[in-house]
Amino acid sequence: MEHHEQLAPPVPAAPLSADELRAMRRSLTTGRLAMTRRSLLRAGGALAAVVGGGAALSACGIAPAGRTDAALTVDHSPEEKRLNFSNWTEYLDVSDDGKRHPTLDAFQRRTGIAVTYTEDVNDNDEFFGKIQAQLANGQDTGRDLIVLTDWMCARMISLGWIQPLDAERLPHARANLSAQFRDPAWDPGRKHSYVWQGIPAIIAYNVKATGGRTVDSISQLLEDPRLKGRVGFLSEMRDTVGLTLLDMGQRPEDVTADAYDAALARLQKGVDSQQIRRFTGNDYTGDLDKGDLAACVAWAGDVVQLQSDNPDIRYAVPKAGYMTSTDNLMVPSKARHKGNAERLIDYYYEPKVAARLAAYINYACPVDGVREELAKIDRTLAENPLILPDEEMAARSHSFRALTPRENRVFNQKFADLTGA
């Protein structure tokens, strides 16, 4: 018998704040992966995955208005062998002819589940705006599985808009999730999410542009006169401020308002002295490749791809530590096919499948046991700690703590003032 639900009265979508709108505009033009190297080469400049400039919202500080009881959502997976999967652009393996997704095709053949795969996540805030009203009204968004960045995941989980996952249906995910990603503060025990990819922020430099010198610290970026005017920092607040905090001996996980202001003051000095050339999204790749930027803060996936074409591109993981964020798989409230979504999540935690994905997109793989499988595809990639972090590198990874709504507004406004966004 068909299940009918009585919908609550419509809840109007909350408008984005001025800060969030500015962050969204920045993200659409200069955010992480706004124009990936692979996109430019393969797709003639298609818009790629971008991270918004908003901030994480802690559970204590968000009113539970519009909360839905995700646990009571009826799962139609047994009788409906289909799944709607929304992801960022250029974030899944593609065949040489550009027409197929080999790992996803293999999943469909194995399970008989028809997957509608849509690359409709261009920005966290923008995507949230698409689905917010439906989630607040307790309605199905038409999507069974979505991929969003950790701070937005925290926001949606705290609002009650994400379904808890059934651990019994995720044997590979439970067994193979790397220790580095197992217990984030915003989703303890991974009850609502699993990592799609890790996103390390490190230092990259063009050894030809530096005259053969290594660049391996934020202090060097900010203070080495030989790099003046040829230094780039990211327009992603957490990565730029987080790395600066680490260089100052502060933990981004515990950042206070005073420590944040001190980090901004240090960056401001770099702006005022013209040591810093500019704050960028993914568009730093072209300048680094040409040597217009001698060194910059960079995302690991971009560095791996640049190195494949330019032997002058090098990277360094600062001794003080580096920043890592994650993009994560989640099942929205009222999604009709939770069981099917869980099967897909678990599938991508099989080492052989995870290796195929890692070989294509080159970001930090969250799956243990992948090295041997990845070596069969490309031994160089299997030995790259940016893709498969060893224990030492994983131990140096840090993440920015969740921010309250007020901190979100204040921190982002101050960072926007610094970068001129």
Side-chain angles (χ1 to χ4, degrees):
M1 184 171 66
E2 186 177 353
H3 179 79
H4 294 280
E5 296 181 87
Q6 185 173 357
L7 298 178
V11 178
L16 295 175
S17 68
D19 291 336
E20 289 175 319
L21 286 169
R22 279 192 290 270
M24 186 172 75
R25 293 188 190 104
R26 288 199 304 272
S27 299
L28 288 171
T29 55
T30 62
R32 176 177 58 81
L33 296 180
M35 292 294 282
T36 66
R37 185 171 183 78
R38 177 170 285 134
S39 295
L40 290 169
L41 294 176
R42 292 188 59 259
L47 182 66
V50 184
V51 169
L57 300 177
S58 65
C60 61
I62 298 181
R67 179 179 295 276
T68 62
D69 194 341
L72 298 180
T73 300
V74 175
D75 185 10
H76 297 271
S77 295
E79 67 271 18
E80 296 179 1
K81 296 295 184 182
R82 59 180 184 267
L83 170 66
N84 294 319
F85 181 12
S86 285
N87 201 352
W88 303 78
T89 307
E90 298 287 333
Y91 220 13
L92 187 63
D93 54 308
V94 179
S95 60
D96 290 340
D97 62 10
K99 297 179 180 179
R100 296 176 293 107
H101 298 291
T103 58
L104 196 58
D105 293 345
F107 171 81
Q108 294 180 88
R109 289 194 299 269
R110 180 198 293 185
T111 64
I113 297 171
V115 180
T116 300
Y117 183 69
T118 309
E119 296 178 327
D120 61 345
V121 184
N122 288 322
D123 172 87
N124 284 284
D125 282 316
E126 179 192 48
F127 187 78
F128 181 78
K130 289 180 184 178
I131 62 177
Q132 180 183 11
Q134 291 166 299
L135 291 169
N137 290 328
Q139 297 171 338
D140 179 12
T141 67
R143 299 166 175 87
D144 302 299
L145 190 62
I146 59 177
V147 178
L148 294 173
T149 309
D150 43 25
W151 59 267
M152 180 57 79
C153 296
R155 180 178 187 177
M156 295 185 69
I157 290 170
S158 69
L159 287 167
W161 292 348
I162 298 299
Q163 296 194 45
L165 300 173
D166 185 344
E168 296 303 313
R169 292 177 176 171
L170 299 163
H172 294 100
R174 286 189 293 118
N176 297 332
L177 177 62
S178 298
Q180 177 183 357
F181 303 114
R182 279 190 174 271
D183 198 33
W186 52 270
D187 188 20
R190 288 287 175 187
K191 294 179 182 178
H192 300 84
S193 67
Y194 269 88
V195 180
W196 179 248
Q197 295 294 298
I199 311 162
I202 55 172
I203 292 173
Y205 61 99
N206 186 318
V207 71
K208 186 175 181 180
T210 65
R213 288 175 289 111
T214 297
V215 180
D216 58 8
S217 73
I218 297 300
S219 290
Q220 195 172 353
L221 288 178
L222 289 173
E223 299 166 9
D224 187 341
R226 294 170 295 185
L227 299 176
K228 184 174 181 179
R230 297 186 296 151
V231 169
F233 278 80
L234 291 171
S235 56
E236 186 64 33
M237 181 270 283
R238 282 169 183 72
D239 293 330
T240 285
V241 178
L243 282 165
T244 305
L245 286 165
L246 288 169
D247 192 72
M248 297 167 66
Q250 300 282 337
R251 282 172 46 85
E253 293 89 342
D254 307 318
V255 61
T256 63
D258 287 344
Y260 184 85
D261 288 347
L264 287 191
R266 193 170 178 214
L267 289 163
Q268 186 67 59
K269 185 176 179 181
V271 172
D272 294 342
S273 68
Q274 299 185 332
Q275 178 79 5
I276 298 174
R277 183 187 185 102
R278 63 192 184 103
F279 293 86
T280 74
N282 181 259
D283 52 325
Y284 65 81
T285 55
D287 286 344
L288 183 64
D289 192 28
K290 292 182 293 185
D292 292 341
L293 282 177
C296 62
V297 175
W299 288 300
D302 294 334
V303 176
V304 175
Q305 293 176 29
L306 282 171
Q307 285 183 317
S308 67
D309 295 331
N310 186 344
D312 292 329
I313 302 301
R314 311 287 171 84
Y315 74 88
V317 179
K319 291 181 181 179
Y322 67 100
M323 298 300 293
T324 299
S325 56
T326 55
D327 285 331
N328 307 274
L329 297 150
M330 301 188 301
V331 179
S333 295
K334 303 302 178 183
R336 291 178 62 88
H337 310 111
K338 175 173 174 283
N340 294 341
E342 288 166 333
R343 291 187 71 177
L344 186 63
I345 293 172
D346 198 60
Y347 170 75
Y348 276 101
Y349 273 81
E350 296 179 17
K352 185 175 291 188
V353 178
R356 292 175 187 150
L357 181 62
Y360 187 83
I361 62 178
N362 299 161
Y363 271 77
C365 179
V367 183
D368 282 341
V370 166
R371 193 174 307 277
E372 182 178 343
E373 295 296 336
L374 186 55
K376 295 176 184 177
I377 301 170
D378 189 321
R379 184 166 296 278
T380 301
L381 293 179
E383 296 172 352
N384 192 326
L386 298 182
I387 297 175
L388 298 181
D390 54 26
E391 289 185 10
E392 179 185 358
M393 183 167 175
R396 292 157 69 186
S397 170
H398 295 264
S399 58
F400 214 91
R401 75 166 172 85
L403 300 176
T404 67
R406 182 180 183 281
E407 288 174 327
N408 171 39
R409 292 190 297 272
V410 173
F411 282 26
N412 274 302
Q413 183 57 58
K414 289 181 176 180
F415 189 69
D417 291 343
L418 168 74
T419 62

